[in-house]
Amino acid sequence: MSKIGTSIETAASILRNDGLVGIPTETVYGLAGNGLNTHAVLKIFSAKKRPSFDPLILHSSKDKIFNWVSHVPEQAQLLADKFWPGPLTLVLPKANIVPFETTSGLDTVGVRVPRHSMTLELLSALDFPLAAPSANPFSYISPTTAQHVIDQLGHEVDYILDGGSCNVGIESTIVGFENDRPVIYRLGGLSVDDIEKVIGKVEVQINYTSNPKSPGMAKVHYAPKKPLLLVDDFSEIIDDANTAYILFNERIVVDEKRQFFLSQSENYFEAAAQLYALLRYLDNSDFLKIVVKRLPEVSLGKAINDRLYRAAIK
Ligand code: AMP
Ligand code: MG
């Protein structure tokens, strides 16, 4: 059997037998297993070399997703109605059936309905949720194609559902609730502005250190193996022929072959969708150093800058 395919039935049967499947979503490819089964969950942690303190997000269809939580604040319901399926994760008190292995010992669980037709079909066919962190070794760049998954975790997965390139391209925005008051823990594919249009002003609590509330916010994450420098302008950069530049859309005065654009049309959504594939491409190229200019802090520019900051050498 080829490891990459498009059979929902094959994927479902592997998952029912506690195997691992790479699944497409609109954010990044996930490494999925039965999120209620500790054996499958532990396999996910070990395949990714993910520290056990970093909780997994559960994915399910819209009609089942709240089966895995025990309380839904009013504003969580509003966000769910408006943005699911989509790049939004809600952190809510967990249902008893969700094992602590999945939540890294927390009483809360992250839940999400991803927006990808193949994965939605798969989730409808399953009576359990899928725990699915990004399908890459811990702390490396997230995968946005099935081939990226094969390249790094090919030997760890039983099957990969090929759903093409991820069209959002960065991870979900995470919203938690403290005494029913919403707090954004991670910037992502759904902008803060869009969230605030539905529930009003929301506190953003982003941490650049590991912390028990959101360990995935670790300072070094999404990182290429090559040194990546994040700058506001290029005046202090010593240019040489081994340096590649990632730019939003503006041209600079170095060799054209060393300039890589996130979006020629200055579109933040396109930039997010290109980001990880471009980072991977440059990490596998002959360039020795990657220099990226920070994007304007609008729309998904904030989330992109967050990922670049974590990927950069400090
Ligand atoms: P990912 O690796 O993209 O699947 O996202 C997992 C991240 O979601 C974790 O690293 C945490 O930052 C966050 N997360 C998941 N579950 C929880 C939770 N119960 N409480 C707080 N943050 C969570
Ligand atoms: Mg990840």
Side-chain angles (χ1 to χ4, degrees), residues 8 116-126:
I8 308 284
H116 191 290
S117 57
M118 285 170 97
T119 293
L120 283 172
E121 205 182 310
L122 174 65
L123 292 171
S124 291
L126 300 173

PDB file of all heavy atoms in Angstrom, residues 8 116-126:
ATOM      1  N   ILE A   8     -10.588   7.835   2.277  1.00  0.00           N
ATOM      2  CA  ILE A   8     -11.101   8.157   3.617  1.00  0.00           C
ATOM      3  C   ILE A   8     -11.303   6.853   4.397  1.00  0.00           C
ATOM      4  O   ILE A   8     -11.035   6.781   5.594  1.00  0.00           O
ATOM      5  CB  ILE A   8     -12.467   8.899   3.503  1.00  0.00           C
ATOM      6  CG1 ILE A   8     -12.371  10.087   2.549  1.00  0.00           C
ATOM      7  CG2 ILE A   8     -12.988   9.302   4.881  1.00  0.00           C
ATOM      8  CD1 ILE A   8     -11.689  11.303   3.038  1.00  0.00           C
ATOM      9  N   HIS A 116     -11.513  21.424   5.999  1.00  0.00           N
ATOM     10  CA  HIS A 116     -10.969  20.729   4.832  1.00  0.00           C
ATOM     11  C   HIS A 116     -11.933  19.594   4.500  1.00  0.00           C
ATOM     12  O   HIS A 116     -12.221  18.755   5.373  1.00  0.00           O
ATOM     13  CB  HIS A 116      -9.570  20.178   5.128  1.00  0.00           C
ATOM     14  CG  HIS A 116      -8.881  19.692   3.898  1.00  0.00           C
ATOM     15  ND1 HIS A 116      -9.275  18.573   3.224  1.00  0.00           N
ATOM     16  CD2 HIS A 116      -7.836  20.198   3.203  1.00  0.00           C
ATOM     17  CE1 HIS A 116      -8.511  18.399   2.164  1.00  0.00           C
ATOM     18  NE2 HIS A 116      -7.620  19.377   2.129  1.00  0.00           N
ATOM     19  N   SER A 117     -12.400  19.542   3.266  1.00  0.00           N
ATOM     20  CA  SER A 117     -13.500  18.615   2.943  1.00  0.00           C
ATOM     21  C   SER A 117     -13.145  17.156   3.238  1.00  0.00           C
ATOM     22  O   SER A 117     -13.965  16.409   3.776  1.00  0.00           O
ATOM     23  CB  SER A 117     -13.933  18.786   1.489  1.00  0.00           C
ATOM     24  OG  SER A 117     -12.823  18.591   0.649  1.00  0.00           O
ATOM     25  N   MET A 118     -11.911  16.723   2.910  1.00  0.00           N
ATOM     26  CA  MET A 118     -11.561  15.309   3.140  1.00  0.00           C
ATOM     27  C   MET A 118     -11.541  14.984   4.626  1.00  0.00           C
ATOM     28  O   MET A 118     -12.052  13.947   5.070  1.00  0.00           O
ATOM     29  CB  MET A 118     -10.175  15.000   2.563  1.00  0.00           C
ATOM     30  CG  MET A 118     -10.162  14.879   1.064  1.00  0.00           C
ATOM     31  SD  MET A 118      -8.457  14.825   0.517  1.00  0.00           S
ATOM     32  CE  MET A 118      -8.254  13.086   0.378  1.00  0.00           C
ATOM     33  N   THR A 119     -10.956  15.884   5.395  1.00  0.00           N
ATOM     34  CA  THR A 119     -10.849  15.628   6.838  1.00  0.00           C
ATOM     35  C   THR A 119     -12.213  15.724   7.510  1.00  0.00           C
ATOM     36  O   THR A 119     -12.516  14.970   8.435  1.00  0.00           O
ATOM     37  CB  THR A 119      -9.798  16.570   7.454  1.00  0.00           C
ATOM     38  OG1 THR A 119      -8.529  16.173   6.914  1.00  0.00           O
ATOM     39  CG2 THR A 119      -9.748  16.475   8.961  1.00  0.00           C
ATOM     40  N   LEU A 120     -13.075  16.609   7.004  1.00  0.00           N
ATOM     41  CA  LEU A 120     -14.433  16.682   7.566  1.00  0.00           C
ATOM     42  C   LEU A 120     -15.188  15.389   7.286  1.00  0.00           C
ATOM     43  O   LEU A 120     -15.920  14.887   8.147  1.00  0.00           O
ATOM     44  CB  LEU A 120     -15.181  17.889   6.993  1.00  0.00           C
ATOM     45  CG  LEU A 120     -14.767  19.233   7.607  1.00  0.00           C
ATOM     46  CD1 LEU A 120     -15.409  20.396   6.855  1.00  0.00           C
ATOM     47  CD2 LEU A 120     -15.133  19.288   9.093  1.00  0.00           C
ATOM     48  N   GLU A 121     -14.967  14.830   6.101  1.00  0.00           N
ATOM     49  CA  GLU A 121     -15.613  13.553   5.776  1.00  0.00           C
ATOM     50  C   GLU A 121     -15.097  12.452   6.706  1.00  0.00           C
ATOM     51  O   GLU A 121     -15.865  11.636   7.232  1.00  0.00           O
ATOM     52  CB  GLU A 121     -15.291  13.204   4.317  1.00  0.00           C
ATOM     53  CG  GLU A 121     -16.306  12.293   3.673  1.00  0.00           C
ATOM     54  CD  GLU A 121     -15.892  11.937   2.241  1.00  0.00           C
ATOM     55  OE1 GLU A 121     -15.561  12.861   1.467  1.00  0.00           O
ATOM     56  OE2 GLU A 121     -15.875  10.749   1.921  1.00  0.00           O
ATOM     57  N   LEU A 122     -13.799  12.470   6.927  1.00  0.00           N
ATOM     58  CA  LEU A 122     -13.197  11.484   7.838  1.00  0.00           C
ATOM     59  C   LEU A 122     -13.759  11.637   9.254  1.00  0.00           C
ATOM     60  O   LEU A 122     -14.155  10.652   9.892  1.00  0.00           O
ATOM     61  CB  LEU A 122     -11.669  11.678   7.841  1.00  0.00           C
ATOM     62  CG  LEU A 122     -10.858  10.856   8.835  1.00  0.00           C
ATOM     63  CD1 LEU A 122     -10.956   9.361   8.495  1.00  0.00           C
ATOM     64  CD2 LEU A 122      -9.389  11.291   8.835  1.00  0.00           C
ATOM     65  N   LEU A 123     -13.818  12.875   9.727  1.00  0.00           N
ATOM     66  CA  LEU A 123     -14.299  13.118  11.093  1.00  0.00           C
ATOM     67  C   LEU A 123     -15.767  12.711  11.255  1.00  0.00           C
ATOM     68  O   LEU A 123     -16.172  12.232  12.318  1.00  0.00           O
ATOM     69  CB  LEU A 123     -14.105  14.591  11.471  1.00  0.00           C
ATOM     70  CG  LEU A 123     -12.647  15.042  11.628  1.00  0.00           C
ATOM     71  CD1 LEU A 123     -12.556  16.557  11.777  1.00  0.00           C
ATOM     72  CD2 LEU A 123     -11.973  14.351  12.816  1.00  0.00           C
ATOM     73  N   SER A 124     -16.540  12.871  10.192  1.00  0.00           N
ATOM     74  CA  SER A 124     -17.954  12.466  10.255  1.00  0.00           C
ATOM     75  C   SER A 124     -18.070  10.951  10.385  1.00  0.00           C
ATOM     76  O   SER A 124     -19.013  10.444  10.994  1.00  0.00           O
ATOM     77  CB  SER A 124     -18.693  12.900   8.993  1.00  0.00           C
ATOM     78  OG  SER A 124     -18.799  14.273   8.987  1.00  0.00           O
ATOM     79  N   ALA A 125     -17.104  10.247   9.800  1.00  0.00           N
ATOM     80  CA  ALA A 125     -17.165   8.778   9.812  1.00  0.00           C
ATOM     81  C   ALA A 125     -16.697   8.186  11.143  1.00  0.00           C
ATOM     82  O   ALA A 125     -16.897   7.005  11.403  1.00  0.00           O
ATOM     83  CB  ALA A 125     -16.309   8.228   8.671  1.00  0.00           C
ATOM     84  N   LEU A 126     -16.046   8.989  11.973  1.00  0.00           N
ATOM     85  CA  LEU A 126     -15.467   8.474  13.222  1.00  0.00           C
ATOM     86  C   LEU A 126     -16.334   8.874  14.414  1.00  0.00           C
ATOM     87  O   LEU A 126     -16.856   9.992  14.451  1.00  0.00           O
ATOM     88  CB  LEU A 126     -14.052   9.032  13.427  1.00  0.00           C
ATOM     89  CG  LEU A 126     -13.030   8.695  12.343  1.00  0.00           C
ATOM     90  CD1 LEU A 126     -11.731   9.462  12.582  1.00  0.00           C
ATOM     91  CD2 LEU A 126     -12.768   7.186  12.290  1.00  0.00           C
TER      92      LEU A 126
END
